[in-house]
Amino acid sequence: MLWDFNSIKLIFSFATLGRQSKAVGPIVNLITSLKNKQKTRFGAGIRHQLPDELAALGCSHALLLSTPQQSDTAMDLAAGLNGHVAGIYSRATMHTPVDVTEDAVCHARDVGADCLVSVGGGSTTGLGKAIALRTDLPQIVIPTTYAGSEATPILGQTEGGVKTTLTDAKVLPEVILYDPELVVSLPSAMTVTSGLNAIAHAAEALYAKDRTEPTSQLAIEGMKAFAQSLPILVNTPDDLPAREASLQGAYACGAVLGSVGMALHHKLCHTLGGSFDLPHAETHAIVLSHAVHFNAQAVPDLLTPVSKIFDGDAPGLALWDFAKSLGAPMALRDLGVAESDLDRATEIALSKPYWNPREITAPGIRALLQNAWSGDAPGT
Ligand code: NAD
């Protein structure tokens, strides 16, 4: 066995089976304390259990959702549903535009859908959540990236160019099927950036104001899963045990994102993504080490697990080295941000106050962004 994921596997199998045993008592307590009531199943080929999951929800007319790029995957899944298909809607797109959601809601009603099956990354999951918010339809999610949206009651939506975020139990999917076979096709670059996106949820959970011992433990397990699986996946994308480990990491990181408040890193990525139309996972991948380095000055002890897991002397530098070793994008300028945009980005980042473990000042954020823009190591 290459990985020490016993604890995390037990968490998930027990979340699935819903029974107790002496050996995994503390882990069951951990997941129970997160009040996670989702049914979660892992395994190569687990997508073929979709008909059973549909029946268990009492549903027989599934509307399958995907991006245009993953419509073939949605069609394959539909073919295995023995006719219990209301339709396929393959117009999911980044940032969950409300006009697409409204069109999809009309479509769901027209075809008489009684549940949603979202296959894809955070964009497709976001569309499913947005439809569920408006229709109360149950959701089954088959994630194919590590964004972790499937494990949160959070929904971001865009209207008139403005992205707003809400939290509502109605949008939390009922069932998640994590099938590593469907993640093999995730391009190497996106495997890395999406993994770093997930690690960002966990890193910020470590210093969240409302963190608990179980959320911190789960965050640590999620980061370990990625520290061990991503270097393997960069070279061997079809390594199914490593893909499954990374999906376990995605679930742990998503679950903590849904359980505690985020701070500087997520706010900065939201600001930059929204204001400069930057790609989600790449932005997270670049900003992460810089935000962690910034906050480590205030809460070094809380971030010690990051240094240990990613094998460095300081948490921000350890993450920067890890990202670089995986060939991640390292500089905002490579995403098309101009150096002259950094003052405006700083202003926007400071315009709406939010809690952060370290005081957020204009010079501090400007310096952070300068390093993230140029791709220099944090704090240099
Ligand atoms: P994405 O869903 O936009 O996917 C990016 C591209 O990769 C798409 O074209 C998609 O079809 C393709 N793709 C996905 N999986 C693939 C696979 N296995 N093989 C080949 N291609 C694949 O990207 P994402 O980073 O997963 O999601 C980003 C979105 O999710 C953002 O809008 C973000 O705000 C949202 N998000 C929401 C939450 C939440 O809790 N609400 C959490 C994280 C992310």
Side-chain angles (χ1 to χ4, degrees):
M1 174 110 173
L2 276 170
W3 300 282
D4 178 21
F5 288 130
N6 289 333
S7 59
I8 226 162
K9 274 186 177 152
L10 289 168
I11 288 172
F12 300 129
S13 59
F14 265 76
T16 303
L17 297 172
R19 34 187 181 85
Q20 294 258 353
S21 113
K22 246 183 172 174
V24 295
I27 293 147
V28 173
N29 291 343
L30 187 68
I31 204 83
T32 306
S33 69
L34 294 183
K35 297 190 171 55
N36 190 321
K37 297 205 174 86
Q38 293 177 292
K39 182 174 181 183
T40 306
R41 300 182 70 183
F42 282 85
I46 199 77
R47 67 189 181 281
H48 299 304
Q49 302 297 315
L50 188 55
D52 293 346
E53 296 304 331
L54 222 59
L57 287 173
C59 297
S60 55
H61 290 82
L63 178 64
L64 287 99
L65 307 173
S66 76
T67 60
Q69 294 83 356
Q70 289 180 285
S71 58
D72 286 355
T73 311
M75 279 193 262
D76 285 349
L77 285 171
L81 278 179
N82 312 319
H84 294 309
V85 180
I88 300 177
Y89 188 91
S90 289
R91 283 190 58 209
T93 188
M94 190 79 99
H95 304 310
T96 324
V98 168
D99 58 337
V100 174
T101 300
E102 285 170 353
D103 184 57
V105 167
C106 288
H107 186 71
R109 290 193 173 126
D110 287 349
V111 298
D114 61 7
C115 75
L116 305 164
V117 175
S118 308
V119 58
S123 297
T124 304
T125 304
L127 175 61
K129 287 168 141 182
I131 301 172
L133 181 72
R134 291 158 174 83
T135 60
D136 260 338
L137 289 175
Q139 305 167 69
I140 300 176
V141 180
I142 308 180
T144 64
T145 71
Y146 308 129
S149 175
E150 65 281 0
T152 82
I154 304 165
L155 169 64
Q157 307 185 93
T158 310
E159 191 165 26
V162 179
K163 189 167 180 177
T164 51
T165 303
L166 60 85
T167 299
D168 191 322
K170 254 165 103 172
V171 308
L172 186 73
E174 280 73 7
V175 180
I176 312 173
L177 300 180
Y178 284 109
D179 190 331
E181 287 177 358
L182 289 185
V183 199
V184 166
S185 56
L186 192 65
S188 182
M190 205 176 159
T191 294
V192 169
T193 54
S194 191
L196 289 165
N197 179 194
I199 291 167
H201 309 331
E204 286 226 297
L206 289 179
Y207 51 63
K209 199 163 55 161
D210 51 352
R211 69 187 180 279
T212 61
E213 184 55 35
T215 58
S216 297
Q217 256 178 274
L218 203 52
I220 288 169
E221 293 302 330
M223 285 191 282
K224 279 187 193 165
F226 282 114
Q228 290 161 345
S229 59
L230 287 182
I232 296 169
L233 290 169
V234 168
N235 296 316
T236 326
D238 58 353
D239 186 314
L240 287 180
R243 281 289 178 196
E244 183 163 341
S246 61
L247 284 174
Q248 292 173 355
Y251 182 53
C253 295
V256 289
L257 171 67
S259 303
V260 299
M262 297 287 113
L264 176 67
H265 170 80
H266 281 75
K267 304 292 178 191
L268 269 183
C269 290
H270 189 86
T271 302
L272 290 166
S275 309
F276 301 100
D277 196 23
L278 302 184
H280 176 82
E282 286 89 334
T283 309
H284 274 267
I286 293 168
V287 173
L288 175 61
S289 63
H290 300 278
V292 165
H293 180 81
F294 181 90
N295 279 338
Q297 315 308 310
V299 287
D301 294 349
L302 293 178
L303 285 164
T304 301
V306 175
S307 315
K308 283 195 181 147
I309 293 166
F310 296 100
D311 198 18
D313 294 333
L317 287 168
L319 281 168
W320 192 81
D321 285 339
F322 180 67
K324 204 170 166 59
S325 75
L326 297 172
M330 302 302 288
L332 288 175
R333 67 173 160 198
D334 294 340
L335 301 187
V337 178
E339 193 168 14
S340 55
D341 287 333
L342 297 182
D343 287 339
R344 188 159 68 91
T346 305
E347 258 172 54
I348 303 170
L350 269 84
S351 61
K352 284 192 191 144
Y354 51 86
W355 182 86
N356 189 61
R358 182 177 170 194
E359 191 191 355
I360 295 170
T361 61
I365 298 304
R366 183 63 179 76
L368 182 165
L369 288 175
Q370 185 68 40
N371 274 350
W373 179 82
S374 60
D376 290 338
T380 51

Coordinates of all heavy atoms in Angstrom, one line a residue, residues 66-71 73 92-96 119-126 129 142-158 163 165-166 171 180-187 190-191 193-194 197-198 201 243 254 257-258 266 270 279-282 284, ligand 1:
S66 N -23.8 18.6 -17.9 CA -22.3 18.6 -18.1 C -22.0 19.9 -18.8 O -22.8 20.7 -19.2 CB -21.9 17.4 -19.0 OG -22.3 17.7 -20.3
T67 N -20.7 20.1 -19.0 CA -20.2 21.2 -19.9 C -20.3 20.6 -21.3 O -20.4 19.4 -21.5 CB -18.7 21.5 -19.6 OG1 -18.0 20.4 -19.8 CG2 -18.5 22.1 -18.2
P68 N -20.2 21.5 -22.3 CA -20.2 21.0 -23.7 C -19.0 20.0 -23.9 O -19.2 19.1 -24.6 CB -20.0 22.3 -24.5 CG -20.4 23.4 -23.7 CD -20.2 23.0 -22.3
Q69 N -17.9 20.3 -23.2 CA -16.7 19.5 -23.4 C -16.9 18.1 -22.9 O -16.2 17.1 -23.3 CB -15.5 20.1 -22.7 CG -15.0 21.4 -23.3 CD -15.8 22.6 -22.7 OE1 -16.8 22.5 -22.0 NE2 -15.4 23.8 -23.1
Q70 N -17.8 17.9 -21.9 CA -18.0 16.6 -21.3 C -19.3 16.0 -21.6 O -19.8 15.1 -20.9 CB -17.8 16.7 -19.8 CG -16.3 16.9 -19.4 CD -16.2 17.1 -17.9 OE1 -16.5 18.1 -17.3 NE2 -15.6 16.0 -17.3
S71 N -19.9 16.4 -22.8 CA -21.2 15.9 -23.1 C -21.2 14.4 -23.4 O -22.1 13.6 -23.2 CB -21.8 16.7 -24.3 OG -21.0 16.6 -25.4
T73 N -19.4 12.2 -21.9 CA -19.4 11.4 -20.6 C -20.9 11.4 -20.1 O -21.3 10.4 -19.6 CB -18.5 12.2 -19.6 OG1 -17.3 12.4 -20.2 CG2 -18.4 11.3 -18.3
A92 N -23.4 23.7 -19.1 CA -22.8 24.2 -17.9 C -21.5 25.0 -18.3 O -20.8 24.7 -19.2 CB -22.4 23.1 -17.0
T93 N -21.4 26.1 -17.6 CA -20.2 27.0 -17.9 C -19.7 27.6 -16.6 O -20.4 27.7 -15.6 CB -20.6 28.0 -19.0 OG1 -19.4 28.7 -19.4 CG2 -21.6 29.0 -18.5
M94 N -18.4 28.1 -16.7 CA -17.8 28.7 -15.5 C -18.6 29.8 -14.8 O -19.2 30.6 -15.6 CB -16.4 29.2 -15.9 CG -15.5 29.6 -14.8 SD -14.7 28.2 -14.0 CE -13.1 28.2 -14.8
H95 N -18.6 29.9 -13.5 CA -19.2 31.0 -12.7 C -20.7 31.0 -12.7 O -21.4 31.9 -12.3 CB -18.7 32.4 -13.2 CG -17.2 32.5 -13.1 ND1 -16.5 32.1 -12.0 CD2 -16.3 32.9 -14.0 CE1 -15.2 32.3 -12.2 NE2 -15.0 32.7 -13.5
T96 N -21.4 29.9 -13.2 CA -22.8 29.7 -13.0 C -23.6 30.9 -13.4 O -24.3 31.5 -12.6 CB -23.1 29.2 -11.6 OG1 -22.1 28.4 -11.1 CG2 -24.5 28.5 -11.6
V119 N -22.3 15.6 -13.9 CA -21.0 15.0 -14.1 C -20.0 16.0 -14.6 O -20.2 16.6 -15.7 CB -21.1 13.7 -15.0 CG1 -21.6 14.1 -16.4 CG2 -19.7 13.0 -15.1
G120 N -19.0 16.3 -13.8 CA -18.0 17.3 -14.2 C -17.3 18.0 -13.0 O -17.3 17.4 -11.9
G121 N -16.8 19.2 -13.3 CA -16.1 19.9 -12.3 C -17.0 20.9 -11.6 O -18.3 20.7 -11.6
G122 N -16.4 21.9 -10.9 CA -17.2 22.8 -10.1 C -18.3 23.6 -11.0 O -19.3 24.0 -10.4
S123 N -18.0 23.8 -12.2 CA -19.0 24.5 -13.1 C -20.3 23.7 -13.3 O -21.4 24.3 -13.2 CB -18.4 24.8 -14.4 OG -17.3 25.7 -14.3
T124 N -20.1 22.4 -13.5 CA -21.3 21.6 -13.7 C -22.0 21.4 -12.4 O -23.3 21.5 -12.3 CB -20.9 20.3 -14.3 OG1 -20.2 20.5 -15.5 CG2 -22.1 19.4 -14.6
T125 N -21.3 21.2 -11.3 CA -21.9 21.0 -10.0 C -22.6 22.3 -9.6 O -23.7 22.2 -9.1 CB -20.8 20.7 -9.0 OG1 -20.1 19.5 -9.4 CG2 -21.4 20.4 -7.6
G126 N -22.0 23.4 -10.0 CA -22.6 24.7 -9.7 C -24.0 24.8 -10.4 O -25.0 25.3 -9.8
K129 N -26.5 22.7 -8.6 CA -26.9 23.4 -7.3 C -27.9 24.5 -7.6 O -28.8 24.7 -6.8 CB -25.7 23.9 -6.6 CG -24.8 22.8 -5.9 CD -23.5 23.5 -5.5 CE -23.0 22.9 -4.2 NZ -21.7 23.6 -3.8
I142 N -21.2 13.5 -9.8 CA -20.1 12.6 -10.2 C -18.9 13.6 -10.5 O -18.8 14.0 -11.6 CB -20.4 11.7 -11.3 CG1 -21.7 10.9 -11.0 CG2 -19.3 10.7 -11.6 CD1 -22.2 9.9 -12.1
P143 N -18.1 13.9 -9.5 CA -17.1 14.9 -9.7 C -15.9 14.4 -10.6 O -15.5 13.3 -10.5 CB -16.6 15.2 -8.3 CG -17.5 14.6 -7.4 CD -18.1 13.4 -8.1
T144 N -15.5 15.3 -11.5 CA -14.3 14.9 -12.3 C -13.1 15.9 -12.2 O -12.2 15.8 -13.0 CB -14.7 14.8 -13.8 OG1 -15.1 16.1 -14.2 CG2 -15.9 13.9 -14.0
T145 N -13.2 16.8 -11.2 CA -12.1 17.6 -10.8 C -12.0 17.6 -9.3 O -12.8 16.9 -8.7 CB -12.2 19.1 -11.2 OG1 -13.2 19.7 -10.4 CG2 -12.6 19.3 -12.7
Y146 N -11.1 18.4 -8.7 CA -10.9 18.3 -7.3 C -11.5 19.6 -6.6 O -11.1 19.9 -5.4 CB -9.4 18.2 -6.9 CG -8.8 17.0 -7.6 CD1 -7.6 17.2 -8.4 CD2 -9.3 15.8 -7.6 CE1 -7.0 16.1 -9.0 CE2 -8.7 14.7 -8.2 CZ -7.5 14.9 -8.9 OH -6.9 13.8 -9.6
A147 N -12.3 20.4 -7.3 CA -12.7 21.7 -6.8 C -13.5 21.5 -5.5 O -13.4 22.4 -4.6 CB -13.6 22.4 -7.8
G148 N -14.2 20.4 -5.3 CA -14.9 20.2 -4.0 C -16.2 20.8 -3.8 O -16.8 20.6 -2.7
S149 N -16.8 21.4 -4.8 CA -18.1 22.0 -4.7 C -19.2 21.1 -4.2 O -20.1 21.4 -3.5 CB -18.5 22.7 -6.0 OG -19.8 23.2 -6.0
E150 N -19.0 19.8 -4.7 CA -20.1 18.8 -4.4 C -20.2 18.6 -2.9 O -21.3 18.1 -2.4 CB -19.7 17.4 -5.0 CG -18.4 16.8 -4.5 CD -17.1 17.3 -5.1 OE1 -17.2 18.3 -5.9 OE2 -16.0 16.9 -4.7
A151 N -19.2 19.0 -2.1 CA -19.3 18.7 -0.6 C -19.7 20.0 0.2 O -19.5 20.0 1.4 CB -18.0 18.2 -0.1
T152 N -20.1 21.0 -0.5 CA -20.5 22.3 0.2 C -21.9 22.7 -0.1 O -22.4 22.4 -1.2 CB -19.5 23.4 -0.2 OG1 -20.0 24.0 -1.4 CG2 -18.1 23.0 -0.4
P153 N -22.5 23.4 0.9 CA -23.8 24.0 0.6 C -23.7 25.5 0.0 O -24.6 26.3 0.2 CB -24.4 24.1 2.0 CG -23.2 24.2 2.9 CD -22.0 23.7 2.2
I154 N -22.5 25.7 -0.6 CA -22.2 27.1 -1.1 C -22.5 27.1 -2.6 O -22.2 26.1 -3.4 CB -20.8 27.4 -0.9 CG1 -20.4 27.3 0.6 CG2 -20.4 28.8 -1.4 CD1 -18.9 27.3 0.9
L155 N -23.1 28.2 -3.1 CA -23.3 28.4 -4.5 C -22.9 29.8 -4.9 O -23.4 30.8 -4.3 CB -24.8 28.2 -4.8 CG -25.3 28.6 -6.2 CD1 -24.6 27.7 -7.3 CD2 -26.8 28.5 -6.4
G156 N -22.0 29.9 -5.9 CA -21.7 31.2 -6.5 C -22.4 31.3 -7.8 O -22.5 30.4 -8.6
Q157 N -23.0 32.5 -8.1 CA -23.8 32.7 -9.3 C -23.4 34.1 -9.9 O -23.1 35.0 -9.1 CB -25.3 32.7 -9.0 CG -25.8 31.5 -8.3 CD -27.3 31.5 -8.1 OE1 -28.0 31.0 -8.9 NE2 -27.8 32.2 -7.1
T158 N -23.5 34.2 -11.2 CA -23.1 35.4 -11.9 C -24.3 36.0 -12.6 O -24.9 35.3 -13.4 CB -21.9 35.2 -12.8 OG1 -20.9 34.5 -12.1 CG2 -21.3 36.5 -13.3
K163 N -20.5 38.4 -9.5 CA -20.7 37.1 -8.9 C -21.0 37.2 -7.4 O -20.3 37.9 -6.7 CB -19.4 36.3 -9.0 CG -19.5 34.8 -8.7 CD -18.3 34.0 -9.1 CE -18.5 32.5 -8.7 NZ -17.5 31.7 -9.2
T165 N -22.3 35.0 -3.8 CA -22.2 33.7 -3.2 C -23.3 33.5 -2.1 O -23.5 34.5 -1.3 CB -20.8 33.5 -2.6 OG1 -19.9 33.7 -3.6 CG2 -20.6 32.1 -2.1
L166 N -23.9 32.4 -2.1 CA -24.9 32.2 -1.0 C -24.6 30.8 -0.4 O -24.0 29.9 -1.0 CB -26.3 32.3 -1.5 CG -26.8 31.3 -2.6 CD1 -27.2 30.0 -2.1 CD2 -27.9 31.9 -3.4
V171 N -28.9 23.4 -1.5 CA -28.0 23.2 -2.7 C -27.0 22.1 -2.4 O -26.3 21.7 -3.3 CB -27.3 24.5 -3.2 CG1 -28.3 25.6 -3.4 CG2 -26.2 24.9 -2.2
P180 N -12.7 7.3 -9.8 CA -11.4 7.7 -10.3 C -11.2 7.5 -11.8 O -10.5 8.3 -12.5 CB -10.4 6.8 -9.5 CG -11.2 5.8 -8.9 CD -12.6 6.2 -8.8
E181 N -12.0 6.6 -12.4 CA -11.8 6.3 -13.9 C -12.2 7.6 -14.7 O -11.7 7.8 -15.8 CB -12.7 5.2 -14.3 CG -12.1 3.8 -13.8 CD -13.0 2.6 -14.2 OE1 -14.1 2.8 -14.7 OE2 -12.6 1.5 -13.8
L182 N -13.1 8.4 -14.1 CA -13.6 9.6 -14.9 C -12.6 10.8 -14.7 O -12.9 11.8 -15.3 CB -15.0 10.0 -14.4 CG -16.1 9.0 -14.8 CD1 -17.5 9.6 -14.4 CD2 -16.1 8.8 -16.3
V183 N -11.7 10.6 -13.8 CA -10.7 11.7 -13.6 C -9.4 11.5 -14.4 O -8.6 12.4 -14.5 CB -10.4 12.0 -12.1 CG1 -9.9 13.4 -11.9 CG2 -11.7 11.8 -11.3
V184 N -9.2 10.3 -14.9 CA -8.0 10.0 -15.7 C -7.8 11.0 -16.8 O -6.7 11.4 -17.2 CB -8.1 8.5 -16.2 CG1 -7.0 8.3 -17.2 CG2 -7.9 7.6 -15.0
S185 N -9.0 11.4 -17.4 CA -8.9 12.3 -18.6 C -8.6 13.8 -18.2 O -8.4 14.6 -19.1 CB -10.2 12.3 -19.3 OG -11.3 12.6 -18.4
L186 N -8.6 14.1 -16.9 CA -8.3 15.5 -16.5 C -6.8 15.8 -16.9 O -5.9 15.1 -16.5 CB -8.5 15.6 -15.0 CG -8.5 17.0 -14.4 CD1 -9.7 17.8 -14.9 CD2 -8.4 17.0 -12.9
P187 N -6.7 16.8 -17.8 CA -5.3 17.1 -18.2 C -4.3 17.3 -17.0 O -4.8 17.8 -16.0 CB -5.5 18.3 -19.1 CG -6.9 18.4 -19.4 CD -7.6 17.7 -18.3
M190 N -4.4 20.7 -15.4 CA -5.6 20.9 -14.5 C -5.6 20.0 -13.3 O -6.1 20.4 -12.3 CB -6.8 20.7 -15.3 CG -7.9 21.6 -14.7 SD -9.4 21.6 -15.5 CE -10.5 22.1 -14.2
T191 N -5.0 18.8 -13.4 CA -4.9 18.0 -12.2 C -4.1 18.7 -11.1 O -4.5 18.8 -10.0 CB -4.1 16.7 -12.6 OG1 -4.9 15.9 -13.5 CG2 -3.8 15.8 -11.4
T193 N -3.5 22.2 -10.9 CA -4.1 23.4 -10.5 C -5.4 23.1 -9.6 O -5.6 23.7 -8.6 CB -4.5 24.4 -11.6 OG1 -5.3 23.7 -12.6 CG2 -3.3 24.9 -12.3
S194 N -6.1 22.1 -10.1 CA -7.3 21.7 -9.3 C -7.0 21.2 -7.9 O -7.6 21.4 -6.9 CB -8.2 20.7 -10.1 OG -9.4 20.5 -9.6
N197 N -6.1 24.0 -5.8 CA -7.3 24.7 -5.4 C -7.9 24.0 -4.2 O -8.4 24.7 -3.2 CB -8.3 24.6 -6.6 CG -9.7 25.2 -6.4 OD1 -10.6 25.0 -7.2 ND2 -9.8 26.0 -5.4
A198 N -7.9 22.7 -4.2 CA -8.5 21.9 -3.1 C -7.6 22.1 -1.8 O -8.1 22.3 -0.7 CB -8.5 20.4 -3.4
H201 N -8.4 25.2 0.1 CA -9.6 25.1 1.1 C -9.0 24.6 2.5 O -9.4 25.1 3.5 CB -10.7 24.1 0.6 CG -11.1 24.3 -0.8 ND1 -11.2 25.6 -1.4 CD2 -11.7 23.4 -1.7 CE1 -11.7 25.4 -2.6 NE2 -12.0 24.1 -2.8
R243 N -5.5 8.4 -8.3 CA -6.7 9.2 -8.6 C -7.7 9.1 -7.5 O -8.3 10.0 -7.1 CB -7.3 8.7 -9.9 CG -6.6 9.2 -11.2 CD -6.8 10.7 -11.5 NE -6.1 11.1 -12.7 CZ -5.8 12.3 -13.0 NH1 -6.2 13.3 -12.2 NH2 -5.1 12.6 -14.1
G254 N -13.1 19.7 0.3 CA -14.5 20.3 0.0 C -15.3 20.3 1.3 O -16.0 21.3 1.6
L257 N -14.2 23.2 3.4 CA -14.7 24.4 2.8 C -16.1 24.7 3.2 O -16.5 25.8 3.4 CB -14.5 24.3 1.3 CG -15.1 25.5 0.4 CD1 -14.4 26.8 0.7 CD2 -15.1 25.1 -1.0
G258 N -16.9 23.6 3.2 CA -18.3 23.8 3.5 C -18.6 23.9 5.0 O -19.7 24.2 5.4
H266 N -9.1 33.0 -0.3 CA -10.3 32.8 -1.1 C -10.9 34.2 -1.5 O -11.3 34.3 -2.6 CB -11.3 32.0 -0.4 CG -11.1 30.5 -0.4 ND1 -10.1 29.9 0.3 CD2 -11.6 29.5 -1.2 CE1 -10.0 28.7 0.0 NE2 -11.0 28.4 -0.9
H270 N -11.3 35.4 -5.4 CA -12.6 35.8 -5.8 C -12.5 37.2 -6.5 O -13.0 37.4 -7.6 CB -13.5 35.9 -4.6 CG -15.0 36.1 -4.9 ND1 -15.8 35.1 -5.2 CD2 -15.7 37.2 -5.0 CE1 -17.0 35.5 -5.4 NE2 -17.0 36.9 -5.3
P279 N -9.0 32.4 -14.8 CA -9.4 31.0 -14.6 C -9.3 30.6 -13.1 O -8.3 31.0 -12.5 CB -8.5 30.2 -15.5 CG -7.3 31.1 -15.7 CD -7.8 32.5 -15.6
H280 N -10.4 29.9 -12.6 CA -10.5 29.7 -11.2 C -9.3 28.9 -10.6 O -8.7 29.4 -9.7 CB -11.8 28.9 -11.0 CG -12.1 28.4 -9.7 ND1 -12.7 29.2 -8.7 CD2 -11.9 27.2 -9.0 CE1 -12.8 28.6 -7.6 NE2 -12.3 27.4 -7.8
A281 N -9.1 27.7 -11.1 CA -8.1 26.8 -10.4 C -6.7 27.4 -10.6 O -5.9 27.4 -9.6 CB -8.2 25.4 -11.0
E282 N -6.4 28.0 -11.7 CA -5.0 28.5 -11.9 C -4.8 29.7 -11.0 O -3.7 29.8 -10.4 CB -4.9 29.0 -13.4 CG -4.7 28.0 -14.4 CD -6.0 27.5 -15.0 OE1 -7.1 27.6 -14.3 OE2 -6.1 27.0 -16.1
H284 N -6.1 30.2 -8.0 CA -5.9 29.6 -6.7 C -4.5 29.0 -6.6 O -3.8 29.2 -5.6 CB -6.9 28.4 -6.4 CG -8.2 28.9 -5.9 ND1 -8.4 29.0 -4.5 CD2 -9.3 29.3 -6.5 CE1 -9.7 29.4 -4.3 NE2 -10.2 29.7 -5.5
Ligands
NAD1 P1 -14.7 23.5 -14.4 O1 -15.8 22.7 -13.8 O2 -15.0 24.8 -14.9 O3 -13.9 22.6 -15.5 C1 -13.0 23.2 -16.3 C2 -12.9 22.4 -17.7 O4 -12.4 21.1 -17.5 C3 -14.3 22.3 -18.3 O5 -14.3 22.4 -19.7 C4 -14.6 20.8 -17.9 O6 -15.6 20.2 -18.8 C5 -13.3 20.2 -18.0 N1 -13.1 19.0 -17.2 C6 -13.5 18.7 -16.0 N2 -13.2 17.5 -15.6 C7 -12.6 16.9 -16.6 C8 -12.1 15.6 -16.8 N3 -12.0 14.7 -15.9 N4 -11.5 15.4 -18.0 C9 -11.5 16.3 -19.0 N5 -12.0 17.5 -18.9 C10 -12.6 17.8 -17.7 O7 -13.5 23.7 -13.3 P2 -13.4 23.5 -11.7 O8 -12.2 24.2 -11.3 O9 -13.7 22.2 -11.3 O10 -14.7 24.4 -11.2 C11 -14.6 25.9 -11.2 C12 -15.9 26.4 -10.7 O11 -16.4 25.8 -9.6 C13 -15.8 27.9 -10.4 O12 -17.0 28.6 -11.0 C14 -15.8 28.0 -8.9 O13 -16.3 29.2 -8.4 C15 -16.7 26.8 -8.6 N6 -16.5 26.2 -7.2 C16 -17.5 26.3 -6.4 C17 -17.3 25.8 -5.1 C18 -18.5 25.8 -4.1 O14 -18.4 25.3 -3.0 N7 -19.6 26.4 -4.5 C19 -16.1 25.2 -4.7 C20 -15.1 25.1 -5.6 C21 -15.3 25.7 -6.9

